[in-house]
């Protein structure tokens, strides 16, 4: 789930918000879908913070690519 910034309808609110979410100076962050859904319907401003990249081809894999065959080697399986 995406982390979002939630802005309270009361400017500068500091304290406990919906679901126990801690607000400081009118904003809080969460990735809890229940809290996000509630806030969207209750007058809070909800803004995504970590949008996934539009083009994933720019990202490199985590490790070296594996070019080995997944089949059995010629030496395996020969009885003898």
């Amino acid at each position: 789930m995406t982390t979002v910034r939630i802005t309270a309808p009361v400017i500068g609110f500091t304290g406990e918000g919906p679901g126990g979410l801690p607000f400081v100076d009118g904003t809080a962050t969460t990735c809890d879908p229940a809290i996000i859904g509630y806030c969207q319907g209750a007058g809070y401003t909800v803004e995504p913070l970590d949008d996934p990249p539009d083009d994933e081809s720019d990202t490199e894999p985590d490790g070296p690519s594996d070019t080995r065959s997944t089949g059995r080697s010629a030496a395996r399986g020969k009885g003898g």
Side-chain angles (χ1 to χ4, degrees):
M1 183 82 194
T2 300
T3 300
V4 299
R5 175 185 300 121
I6 299 176
T7 304
V10 177
I11 296 171
F13 172 73
T14 297
E16 191 173 292
L21 187 64
F23 279 79
V24 176
D25 294 329
T27 63
T29 58
T30 186
C31 60
D32 185 318
I35 294 174
I36 294 168
Y38 174 83
C39 290
Q40 286 173 327
Y44 293 76
T45 302
V46 178
E47 305 169 280
L49 289 179
D50 52 4
D51 291 331
D54 292 335
D55 185 11
E56 291 187 21
S57 64
D58 292 343
T59 61
E60 294 184 21
D62 290 337
S65 61
D66 188 3
T67 57
R68 294 176 288 161
S69 170
T70 57
R72 299 186 94 177
S73 70
R76 279 194 138 189
K78 289 188 176 181

